[in-house]
Amino acid sequence: MRVVHVKELTETVAKLCWEACYYLPDDVLNGFKKAERTEASPIGRSILQQLVENAEEAKANHMPYCHDTGMAVVFVELGQDVHVTGGDLMDSIQEGVRTGYREGYLRKSVVGDPLLRINTNDNTPAVVHTDIVPGDSVKITVLPKGGGSENMSAMKFLLPGEGAEGVKNFVLQTIKEAGGKACPPIVVGVGIGGSFDKVTSLAKHAVLREIGVHHPDPHIAELEKELLEEINHTGIGPQGLGGTNTAMWVPIETFACHITALPVAVNIQCHAARKKTAVI
């Protein structure tokens, strides 16, 4: 049994918060550069160049890549042979977000009551997903999720007979309705299967996958390729100003589902596809 003190969890989450907002992941930067090489629109190419320059400036000056530093979504993979001591696991994660957003000078974008709309002024509570996994380590990923792209996400129950074509139609409809409001070039996380709550979790987890890494099942990988091609044929383009690179990647995650249902969820991630992981 390995003992991990909550102080270490708090310090790790705090650091991940500001690092995620300052430093864009390499797979996203490479996605910008690849899109720039293939972009047919001069305006689109110019936008993609500016995104690369913005990321370089943010990294060099240790400042947020985007003013919307998001609602913190924290993924915790807790080894079953780990004993957390010194306090409550969830409290330590929330304290980490609170500290990271304060010390990193990150915008506080969370309101405590969805109707009264009063800012909590520390970006908590964060949304926390916890999985118990084999081993004696703790893997923590912070995903600062911007409001613009999150607002454009969607979920629907299809009829089982609609199959892959129904899934493609729903995803494309969602992207077309989003247009430039989701700040393309985007990452389109797709969840297929499960239940009402599970399918949206699948879509959220999908955006964590690195750009360029396909699903291990060949028929799902093929669907990813088809969706990426069709989304980029919409002509929405970088920042919605027209072009051939609306999406950088379309990762899909799947799960078993009931015989009567074919749930599908789309979680859009804007070009500021920030994420940062640490293992304790």
Side-chain angles (χ1 to χ4, degrees):
M1 181 69 70
R2 180 172 172 229
V3 176
V4 175
H5 197 279
V6 291
K7 183 179 179 182
E8 188 173 2
L9 298 175
T10 294
E11 291 173 350
T12 300
V13 171
K15 185 179 180 182
L16 289 175
C17 285
W18 58 260
E19 284 188 344
C21 290
Y22 290 1
Y23 313 130
L24 214 57
D26 288 340
D27 65 314
V28 178
L29 275 173
N30 292 334
F32 291 166
K33 294 172 182 177
K34 180 180 178 181
E36 182 188 342
R37 291 193 298 269
T38 61
E39 180 53 57
S41 163
I43 294 177
R45 285 197 301 274
S46 175
I47 290 169
L48 291 162
Q49 290 167 3
Q50 290 176 56
L51 295 183
V52 173
E53 291 170 7
N54 185 59
E56 291 171 347
E57 286 291 325
K59 182 177 181 179
N61 293 289
H62 310 293
M63 61 176 60
Y65 172 83
C66 176
H67 68 280
D68 183 356
T69 51
M71 185 174 193
V73 182
V74 184
F75 300 85
V76 181
E77 294 183 16
L78 181 66
Q80 63 186 15
D81 296 323
V82 172
H83 173 59
V84 176
T85 188
D88 182 78
L89 170 67
M90 289 300 172
D91 287 348
S92 70
I93 293 169
Q94 299 297 346
E95 182 59 29
V97 171
R98 186 177 295 113
T99 302
Y101 272 74
R102 181 181 66 248
E103 295 183 352
Y105 299 99
L106 308 177
R107 193 181 83 181
K108 287 70 172 182
S109 304
V110 174
V111 294
D113 186 295
L115 298 180
L116 298 179
R117 314 299 295 178
I118 299 173
N119 200 301
T120 62
N121 293 318
D122 60 9
N123 224 58
T124 67
V127 176
V128 183
H129 298 271
T130 306
D131 288 315
I132 306 298
V133 299
D136 62 355
S137 63
V138 184
K139 181 179 179 181
I140 303 174
T141 299
V142 172
L143 176 76
K145 196 66 175 67
S149 58
E150 191 78 349
N151 286 345
M152 296 297 105
S153 300
M155 181 269 175
K156 185 177 182 180
F157 276 93
L158 304 181
L159 296 173
E162 293 182 74
E165 283 304 310
V167 170
K168 286 200 291 185
N169 290 338
F170 175 64
V171 174
L172 285 167
Q173 175 191 347
T174 302
I175 300 306
K176 289 175 182 176
E177 290 176 357
K181 290 179 283 189
C183 290
I186 55 180
V187 173
V188 185
V190 179
I192 306 174
S195 55
F196 180 84
D197 52 331
K198 180 66 175 180
V199 73
T200 53
S201 178
L202 290 171
K204 181 73 72 181
H205 278 78
V207 301
L208 295 177
R209 199 191 317 157
E210 283 196 10
I211 292 173
V213 177
H214 277 293
H215 193 282
D217 292 343
H219 70 290
I220 301 299
E222 186 61 31
L223 184 57
E224 291 173 334
K225 294 175 185 176
E226 292 173 5
L227 276 168
L228 180 63
E229 182 177 355
E230 293 190 32
I231 289 170
N232 285 333
H233 281 160
T234 62
I236 295 168
Q239 293 299 290
L241 296 177
T244 53
N245 283 275
T246 300
M248 292 182 287
W249 198 237
V250 185
I252 300 174
E253 295 294 336
T254 65
F255 196 80
C257 63
H258 194 274
I259 57 173
T260 66
L262 178 56
V264 184
V266 179
N267 190 226
I268 300 177
Q269 177 65 302
C270 64
H271 66 82
R274 303 156 293 188
K275 54 183 180 289
K276 191 71 176 178
T277 300
V279 178
I280 298 173

PDB file of all heavy atoms in Angstrom, residues 180-214:
ATOM      1  N   GLY A 180     -18.456  29.153 -36.790  1.00  0.00           N
ATOM      2  CA  GLY A 180     -17.241  29.742 -36.243  1.00  0.00           C
ATOM      3  C   GLY A 180     -17.305  29.994 -34.764  1.00  0.00           C
ATOM      4  O   GLY A 180     -16.307  30.413 -34.150  1.00  0.00           O
ATOM      5  N   LYS A 181     -18.469  29.743 -34.133  1.00  0.00           N
ATOM      6  CA  LYS A 181     -18.636  30.063 -32.708  1.00  0.00           C
ATOM      7  C   LYS A 181     -17.791  29.192 -31.787  1.00  0.00           C
ATOM      8  O   LYS A 181     -17.546  29.563 -30.637  1.00  0.00           O
ATOM      9  CB  LYS A 181     -20.114  29.959 -32.326  1.00  0.00           C
ATOM     10  CG  LYS A 181     -20.981  31.063 -32.933  1.00  0.00           C
ATOM     11  CD  LYS A 181     -22.438  30.913 -32.559  1.00  0.00           C
ATOM     12  CE  LYS A 181     -23.114  29.827 -33.358  1.00  0.00           C
ATOM     13  NZ  LYS A 181     -24.588  29.794 -33.160  1.00  0.00           N
ATOM     14  N   ALA A 182     -17.348  28.045 -32.283  1.00  0.00           N
ATOM     15  CA  ALA A 182     -16.531  27.146 -31.466  1.00  0.00           C
ATOM     16  C   ALA A 182     -15.036  27.395 -31.643  1.00  0.00           C
ATOM     17  O   ALA A 182     -14.218  26.641 -31.136  1.00  0.00           O
ATOM     18  CB  ALA A 182     -16.861  25.694 -31.796  1.00  0.00           C
ATOM     19  N   CYS A 183     -14.663  28.462 -32.358  1.00  0.00           N
ATOM     20  CA  CYS A 183     -13.252  28.848 -32.561  1.00  0.00           C
ATOM     21  C   CYS A 183     -12.434  27.758 -33.259  1.00  0.00           C
ATOM     22  O   CYS A 183     -11.457  27.252 -32.693  1.00  0.00           O
ATOM     23  CB  CYS A 183     -12.605  29.245 -31.257  1.00  0.00           C
ATOM     24  SG  CYS A 183     -13.208  30.799 -30.579  1.00  0.00           S
ATOM     25  N   PRO A 184     -12.810  27.390 -34.490  1.00  0.00           N
ATOM     26  CA  PRO A 184     -12.013  26.400 -35.216  1.00  0.00           C
ATOM     27  C   PRO A 184     -10.646  26.970 -35.633  1.00  0.00           C
ATOM     28  O   PRO A 184     -10.498  28.179 -35.684  1.00  0.00           O
ATOM     29  CB  PRO A 184     -12.884  26.088 -36.443  1.00  0.00           C
ATOM     30  CG  PRO A 184     -13.788  27.269 -36.600  1.00  0.00           C
ATOM     31  CD  PRO A 184     -13.992  27.840 -35.238  1.00  0.00           C
ATOM     32  N   PRO A 185      -9.673  26.046 -35.879  1.00  0.00           N
ATOM     33  CA  PRO A 185      -9.821  24.606 -36.079  1.00  0.00           C
ATOM     34  C   PRO A 185     -10.018  23.871 -34.751  1.00  0.00           C
ATOM     35  O   PRO A 185      -9.302  24.109 -33.796  1.00  0.00           O
ATOM     36  CB  PRO A 185      -8.509  24.200 -36.748  1.00  0.00           C
ATOM     37  CG  PRO A 185      -7.518  25.205 -36.252  1.00  0.00           C
ATOM     38  CD  PRO A 185      -8.278  26.486 -36.124  1.00  0.00           C
ATOM     39  N   ILE A 186     -10.980  22.962 -34.742  1.00  0.00           N
ATOM     40  CA  ILE A 186     -11.439  22.321 -33.521  1.00  0.00           C
ATOM     41  C   ILE A 186     -11.005  20.859 -33.436  1.00  0.00           C
ATOM     42  O   ILE A 186     -10.570  20.256 -34.420  1.00  0.00           O
ATOM     43  CB  ILE A 186     -12.977  22.392 -33.423  1.00  0.00           C
ATOM     44  CG1 ILE A 186     -13.617  21.799 -34.689  1.00  0.00           C
ATOM     45  CG2 ILE A 186     -13.439  23.828 -33.198  1.00  0.00           C
ATOM     46  CD1 ILE A 186     -15.146  21.821 -34.697  1.00  0.00           C
ATOM     47  N   VAL A 187     -11.116  20.328 -32.239  1.00  0.00           N
ATOM     48  CA  VAL A 187     -11.049  18.885 -32.017  1.00  0.00           C
ATOM     49  C   VAL A 187     -12.469  18.452 -31.681  1.00  0.00           C
ATOM     50  O   VAL A 187     -13.115  19.060 -30.818  1.00  0.00           O
ATOM     51  CB  VAL A 187     -10.085  18.523 -30.871  1.00  0.00           C
ATOM     52  CG1 VAL A 187     -10.168  17.031 -30.557  1.00  0.00           C
ATOM     53  CG2 VAL A 187      -8.656  18.911 -31.230  1.00  0.00           C
ATOM     54  N   VAL A 188     -12.963  17.441 -32.372  1.00  0.00           N
ATOM     55  CA  VAL A 188     -14.346  17.004 -32.211  1.00  0.00           C
ATOM     56  C   VAL A 188     -14.375  15.660 -31.497  1.00  0.00           C
ATOM     57  O   VAL A 188     -14.158  14.612 -32.103  1.00  0.00           O
ATOM     58  CB  VAL A 188     -15.061  16.905 -33.577  1.00  0.00           C
ATOM     59  CG1 VAL A 188     -16.539  16.564 -33.378  1.00  0.00           C
ATOM     60  CG2 VAL A 188     -14.903  18.193 -34.369  1.00  0.00           C
ATOM     61  N   GLY A 189     -14.612  15.692 -30.204  1.00  0.00           N
ATOM     62  CA  GLY A 189     -14.707  14.458 -29.443  1.00  0.00           C
ATOM     63  C   GLY A 189     -16.093  13.851 -29.601  1.00  0.00           C
ATOM     64  O   GLY A 189     -17.096  14.527 -29.381  1.00  0.00           O
ATOM     65  N   VAL A 190     -16.141  12.584 -29.973  1.00  0.00           N
ATOM     66  CA  VAL A 190     -17.418  11.905 -30.206  1.00  0.00           C
ATOM     67  C   VAL A 190     -17.531  10.691 -29.291  1.00  0.00           C
ATOM     68  O   VAL A 190     -16.604   9.881 -29.191  1.00  0.00           O
ATOM     69  CB  VAL A 190     -17.559  11.461 -31.678  1.00  0.00           C
ATOM     70  CG1 VAL A 190     -18.889  10.726 -31.899  1.00  0.00           C
ATOM     71  CG2 VAL A 190     -17.448  12.655 -32.622  1.00  0.00           C
ATOM     72  N   GLY A 191     -18.659  10.585 -28.609  1.00  0.00           N
ATOM     73  CA  GLY A 191     -18.964   9.407 -27.817  1.00  0.00           C
ATOM     74  C   GLY A 191     -20.108   8.652 -28.461  1.00  0.00           C
ATOM     75  O   GLY A 191     -21.079   9.262 -28.912  1.00  0.00           O
ATOM     76  N   ILE A 192     -20.006   7.340 -28.526  1.00  0.00           N
ATOM     77  CA  ILE A 192     -21.064   6.507 -29.102  1.00  0.00           C
ATOM     78  C   ILE A 192     -21.324   5.346 -28.138  1.00  0.00           C
ATOM     79  O   ILE A 192     -20.407   4.594 -27.792  1.00  0.00           O
ATOM     80  CB  ILE A 192     -20.677   5.932 -30.481  1.00  0.00           C
ATOM     81  CG1 ILE A 192     -20.241   7.032 -31.445  1.00  0.00           C
ATOM     82  CG2 ILE A 192     -21.839   5.139 -31.079  1.00  0.00           C
ATOM     83  CD1 ILE A 192     -19.699   6.511 -32.778  1.00  0.00           C
ATOM     84  N   GLY A 193     -22.595   5.202 -27.712  1.00  0.00           N
ATOM     85  CA  GLY A 193     -22.956   4.085 -26.856  1.00  0.00           C
ATOM     86  C   GLY A 193     -23.104   4.483 -25.399  1.00  0.00           C
ATOM     87  O   GLY A 193     -23.082   5.654 -25.037  1.00  0.00           O
ATOM     88  N   GLY A 194     -23.303   3.473 -24.556  1.00  0.00           N
ATOM     89  CA  GLY A 194     -23.497   3.730 -23.139  1.00  0.00           C
ATOM     90  C   GLY A 194     -24.916   4.169 -22.835  1.00  0.00           C
ATOM     91  O   GLY A 194     -25.881   3.775 -23.487  1.00  0.00           O
ATOM     92  N   SER A 195     -25.042   5.034 -21.831  1.00  0.00           N
ATOM     93  CA  SER A 195     -26.324   5.568 -21.389  1.00  0.00           C
ATOM     94  C   SER A 195     -26.299   7.081 -21.544  1.00  0.00           C
ATOM     95  O   SER A 195     -25.335   7.649 -22.059  1.00  0.00           O
ATOM     96  CB  SER A 195     -26.556   5.184 -19.919  1.00  0.00           C
ATOM     97  OG  SER A 195     -25.452   5.628 -19.134  1.00  0.00           O
ATOM     98  N   PHE A 196     -27.345   7.762 -21.050  1.00  0.00           N
ATOM     99  CA  PHE A 196     -27.440   9.219 -21.161  1.00  0.00           C
ATOM    100  C   PHE A 196     -26.209   9.903 -20.560  1.00  0.00           C
ATOM    101  O   PHE A 196     -25.648  10.823 -21.160  1.00  0.00           O
ATOM    102  CB  PHE A 196     -28.713   9.702 -20.454  1.00  0.00           C
ATOM    103  CG  PHE A 196     -28.926  11.179 -20.510  1.00  0.00           C
ATOM    104  CD1 PHE A 196     -29.521  11.766 -21.607  1.00  0.00           C
ATOM    105  CD2 PHE A 196     -28.523  11.990 -19.464  1.00  0.00           C
ATOM    106  CE1 PHE A 196     -29.707  13.147 -21.668  1.00  0.00           C
ATOM    107  CE2 PHE A 196     -28.711  13.359 -19.502  1.00  0.00           C
ATOM    108  CZ  PHE A 196     -29.306  13.944 -20.612  1.00  0.00           C
ATOM    109  N   ASP A 197     -25.794   9.443 -19.385  1.00  0.00           N
ATOM    110  CA  ASP A 197     -24.645  10.063 -18.737  1.00  0.00           C
ATOM    111  C   ASP A 197     -23.317   9.550 -19.286  1.00  0.00           C
ATOM    112  O   ASP A 197     -22.354  10.306 -19.416  1.00  0.00           O
ATOM    113  CB  ASP A 197     -24.706   9.842 -17.225  1.00  0.00           C
ATOM    114  CG  ASP A 197     -24.901   8.372 -16.853  1.00  0.00           C
ATOM    115  OD1 ASP A 197     -25.516   7.631 -17.638  1.00  0.00           O
ATOM    116  OD2 ASP A 197     -24.440   7.975 -15.768  1.00  0.00           O
ATOM    117  N   LYS A 198     -23.259   8.276 -19.643  1.00  0.00           N
ATOM    118  CA  LYS A 198     -22.007   7.679 -20.099  1.00  0.00           C
ATOM    119  C   LYS A 198     -21.552   8.241 -21.442  1.00  0.00           C
ATOM    120  O   LYS A 198     -20.358   8.497 -21.652  1.00  0.00           O
ATOM    121  CB  LYS A 198     -22.167   6.162 -20.199  1.00  0.00           C
ATOM    122  CG  LYS A 198     -20.919   5.420 -20.670  1.00  0.00           C
ATOM    123  CD  LYS A 198     -19.779   5.521 -19.680  1.00  0.00           C
ATOM    124  CE  LYS A 198     -18.590   4.669 -20.101  1.00  0.00           C
ATOM    125  NZ  LYS A 198     -17.456   4.766 -19.142  1.00  0.00           N
ATOM    126  N   VAL A 199     -22.473   8.467 -22.353  1.00  0.00           N
ATOM    127  CA  VAL A 199     -22.076   8.878 -23.703  1.00  0.00           C
ATOM    128  C   VAL A 199     -21.426  10.263 -23.701  1.00  0.00           C
ATOM    129  O   VAL A 199     -20.491  10.528 -24.460  1.00  0.00           O
ATOM    130  CB  VAL A 199     -23.275   8.817 -24.684  1.00  0.00           C
ATOM    131  CG1 VAL A 199     -24.285   9.953 -24.437  1.00  0.00           C
ATOM    132  CG2 VAL A 199     -22.783   8.843 -26.123  1.00  0.00           C
ATOM    133  N   THR A 200     -21.906  11.164 -22.834  1.00  0.00           N
ATOM    134  CA  THR A 200     -21.281  12.485 -22.771  1.00  0.00           C
ATOM    135  C   THR A 200     -19.896  12.396 -22.129  1.00  0.00           C
ATOM    136  O   THR A 200     -18.978  13.138 -22.508  1.00  0.00           O
ATOM    137  CB  THR A 200     -22.159  13.474 -21.984  1.00  0.00           C
ATOM    138  OG1 THR A 200     -22.475  12.919 -20.696  1.00  0.00           O
ATOM    139  CG2 THR A 200     -23.445  13.761 -22.731  1.00  0.00           C
ATOM    140  N   SER A 201     -19.735  11.476 -21.183  1.00  0.00           N
ATOM    141  CA  SER A 201     -18.423  11.251 -20.593  1.00  0.00           C
ATOM    142  C   SER A 201     -17.450  10.695 -21.630  1.00  0.00           C
ATOM    143  O   SER A 201     -16.265  11.069 -21.669  1.00  0.00           O
ATOM    144  CB  SER A 201     -18.536  10.282 -19.411  1.00  0.00           C
ATOM    145  OG  SER A 201     -17.279   9.999 -18.849  1.00  0.00           O
ATOM    146  N   LEU A 202     -17.944   9.809 -22.486  1.00  0.00           N
ATOM    147  CA  LEU A 202     -17.100   9.269 -23.561  1.00  0.00           C
ATOM    148  C   LEU A 202     -16.597  10.381 -24.478  1.00  0.00           C
ATOM    149  O   LEU A 202     -15.417  10.418 -24.845  1.00  0.00           O
ATOM    150  CB  LEU A 202     -17.896   8.257 -24.391  1.00  0.00           C
ATOM    151  CG  LEU A 202     -18.257   6.924 -23.746  1.00  0.00           C
ATOM    152  CD1 LEU A 202     -19.236   6.161 -24.636  1.00  0.00           C
ATOM    153  CD2 LEU A 202     -17.009   6.092 -23.487  1.00  0.00           C
ATOM    154  N   ALA A 203     -17.496  11.286 -24.838  1.00  0.00           N
ATOM    155  CA  ALA A 203     -17.115  12.389 -25.727  1.00  0.00           C
ATOM    156  C   ALA A 203     -16.088  13.297 -25.066  1.00  0.00           C
ATOM    157  O   ALA A 203     -15.153  13.775 -25.713  1.00  0.00           O
ATOM    158  CB  ALA A 203     -18.353  13.188 -26.130  1.00  0.00           C
ATOM    159  N   LYS A 204     -16.267  13.535 -23.756  1.00  0.00           N
ATOM    160  CA  LYS A 204     -15.309  14.367 -23.025  1.00  0.00           C
ATOM    161  C   LYS A 204     -13.949  13.699 -22.956  1.00  0.00           C
ATOM    162  O   LYS A 204     -12.904  14.340 -23.143  1.00  0.00           O
ATOM    163  CB  LYS A 204     -15.847  14.649 -21.620  1.00  0.00           C
ATOM    164  CG  LYS A 204     -14.955  15.535 -20.771  1.00  0.00           C
ATOM    165  CD  LYS A 204     -15.001  16.980 -21.244  1.00  0.00           C
ATOM    166  CE  LYS A 204     -16.326  17.619 -20.908  1.00  0.00           C
ATOM    167  NZ  LYS A 204     -16.445  18.997 -21.366  1.00  0.00           N
ATOM    168  N   HIS A 205     -13.942  12.398 -22.670  1.00  0.00           N
ATOM    169  CA  HIS A 205     -12.675  11.678 -22.615  1.00  0.00           C
ATOM    170  C   HIS A 205     -12.002  11.631 -23.993  1.00  0.00           C
ATOM    171  O   HIS A 205     -10.766  11.598 -24.074  1.00  0.00           O
ATOM    172  CB  HIS A 205     -12.892  10.254 -22.098  1.00  0.00           C
ATOM    173  CG  HIS A 205     -12.978  10.147 -20.615  1.00  0.00           C
ATOM    174  ND1 HIS A 205     -14.120  10.497 -19.912  1.00  0.00           N
ATOM    175  CD2 HIS A 205     -12.067   9.752 -19.684  1.00  0.00           C
ATOM    176  CE1 HIS A 205     -13.913  10.302 -18.619  1.00  0.00           C
ATOM    177  NE2 HIS A 205     -12.683   9.858 -18.453  1.00  0.00           N
ATOM    178  N   ALA A 206     -12.798  11.625 -25.046  1.00  0.00           N
ATOM    179  CA  ALA A 206     -12.231  11.532 -26.396  1.00  0.00           C
ATOM    180  C   ALA A 206     -11.310  12.700 -26.704  1.00  0.00           C
ATOM    181  O   ALA A 206     -10.280  12.526 -27.377  1.00  0.00           O
ATOM    182  CB  ALA A 206     -13.351  11.447 -27.431  1.00  0.00           C
ATOM    183  N   VAL A 207     -11.650  13.908 -26.235  1.00  0.00           N
ATOM    184  CA  VAL A 207     -10.824  15.071 -26.579  1.00  0.00           C
ATOM    185  C   VAL A 207      -9.454  15.020 -25.910  1.00  0.00           C
ATOM    186  O   VAL A 207      -8.565  15.800 -26.266  1.00  0.00           O
ATOM    187  CB  VAL A 207     -11.539  16.401 -26.248  1.00  0.00           C
ATOM    188  CG1 VAL A 207     -12.850  16.518 -26.992  1.00  0.00           C
ATOM    189  CG2 VAL A 207     -11.753  16.566 -24.739  1.00  0.00           C
ATOM    190  N   LEU A 208      -9.267  14.109 -24.945  1.00  0.00           N
ATOM    191  CA  LEU A 208      -7.963  13.963 -24.316  1.00  0.00           C
ATOM    192  C   LEU A 208      -6.966  13.220 -25.206  1.00  0.00           C
ATOM    193  O   LEU A 208      -5.755  13.328 -25.001  1.00  0.00           O
ATOM    194  CB  LEU A 208      -8.097  13.206 -22.988  1.00  0.00           C
ATOM    195  CG  LEU A 208      -8.885  13.891 -21.869  1.00  0.00           C
ATOM    196  CD1 LEU A 208      -8.985  12.966 -20.663  1.00  0.00           C
ATOM    197  CD2 LEU A 208      -8.248  15.215 -21.477  1.00  0.00           C
ATOM    198  N   ARG A 209      -7.479  12.450 -26.151  1.00  0.00           N
ATOM    199  CA  ARG A 209      -6.576  11.662 -26.979  1.00  0.00           C
ATOM    200  C   ARG A 209      -5.734  12.561 -27.886  1.00  0.00           C
ATOM    201  O   ARG A 209      -6.208  13.555 -28.420  1.00  0.00           O
ATOM    202  CB  ARG A 209      -7.369  10.676 -27.844  1.00  0.00           C
ATOM    203  CG  ARG A 209      -6.469   9.549 -28.355  1.00  0.00           C
ATOM    204  CD  ARG A 209      -7.096   8.689 -29.412  1.00  0.00           C
ATOM    205  NE  ARG A 209      -8.485   8.327 -29.120  1.00  0.00           N
ATOM    206  CZ  ARG A 209      -9.348   7.981 -30.084  1.00  0.00           C
ATOM    207  NH1 ARG A 209      -8.989   8.004 -31.349  1.00  0.00           N
ATOM    208  NH2 ARG A 209     -10.580   7.657 -29.766  1.00  0.00           N
ATOM    209  N   GLU A 210      -4.475  12.208 -28.066  1.00  0.00           N
ATOM    210  CA  GLU A 210      -3.580  13.021 -28.881  1.00  0.00           C
ATOM    211  C   GLU A 210      -4.041  13.064 -30.330  1.00  0.00           C
ATOM    212  O   GLU A 210      -4.552  12.082 -30.878  1.00  0.00           O
ATOM    213  CB  GLU A 210      -2.149  12.482 -28.820  1.00  0.00           C
ATOM    214  CG  GLU A 210      -1.420  12.824 -27.544  1.00  0.00           C
ATOM    215  CD  GLU A 210       0.079  12.613 -27.674  1.00  0.00           C
ATOM    216  OE1 GLU A 210       0.570  12.392 -28.805  1.00  0.00           O
ATOM    217  OE2 GLU A 210       0.758  12.679 -26.651  1.00  0.00           O
ATOM    218  N   ILE A 211      -3.857  14.214 -30.948  1.00  0.00           N
ATOM    219  CA  ILE A 211      -4.177  14.382 -32.359  1.00  0.00           C
ATOM    220  C   ILE A 211      -3.309  13.423 -33.178  1.00  0.00           C
ATOM    221  O   ILE A 211      -2.090  13.351 -32.993  1.00  0.00           O
ATOM    222  CB  ILE A 211      -3.941  15.840 -32.799  1.00  0.00           C
ATOM    223  CG1 ILE A 211      -4.959  16.756 -32.115  1.00  0.00           C
ATOM    224  CG2 ILE A 211      -4.016  15.978 -34.321  1.00  0.00           C
ATOM    225  CD1 ILE A 211      -4.714  18.237 -32.337  1.00  0.00           C
ATOM    226  N   GLY A 212      -3.955  12.692 -34.057  1.00  0.00           N
ATOM    227  CA  GLY A 212      -3.242  11.746 -34.908  1.00  0.00           C
ATOM    228  C   GLY A 212      -3.317  10.307 -34.435  1.00  0.00           C
ATOM    229  O   GLY A 212      -2.922   9.395 -35.167  1.00  0.00           O
ATOM    230  N   VAL A 213      -3.832  10.075 -33.229  1.00  0.00           N
ATOM    231  CA  VAL A 213      -3.923   8.714 -32.699  1.00  0.00           C
ATOM    232  C   VAL A 213      -5.328   8.179 -32.909  1.00  0.00           C
ATOM    233  O   VAL A 213      -6.294   8.693 -32.340  1.00  0.00           O
ATOM    234  CB  VAL A 213      -3.569   8.674 -31.193  1.00  0.00           C
ATOM    235  CG1 VAL A 213      -3.741   7.259 -30.645  1.00  0.00           C
ATOM    236  CG2 VAL A 213      -2.161   9.185 -30.959  1.00  0.00           C
ATOM    237  N   HIS A 214      -5.449   7.153 -33.755  1.00  0.00           N
ATOM    238  CA  HIS A 214      -6.755   6.589 -34.089  1.00  0.00           C
ATOM    239  C   HIS A 214      -7.234   5.588 -33.044  1.00  0.00           C
ATOM    240  O   HIS A 214      -6.447   5.026 -32.277  1.00  0.00           O
ATOM    241  CB  HIS A 214      -6.692   5.882 -35.445  1.00  0.00           C
ATOM    242  CG  HIS A 214      -6.856   6.800 -36.609  1.00  0.00           C
ATOM    243  ND1 HIS A 214      -8.031   7.457 -36.887  1.00  0.00           N
ATOM    244  CD2 HIS A 214      -5.972   7.176 -37.574  1.00  0.00           C
ATOM    245  CE1 HIS A 214      -7.885   8.179 -37.989  1.00  0.00           C
ATOM    246  NE2 HIS A 214      -6.651   8.036 -38.415  1.00  0.00           N
TER     247      HIS A 214
END
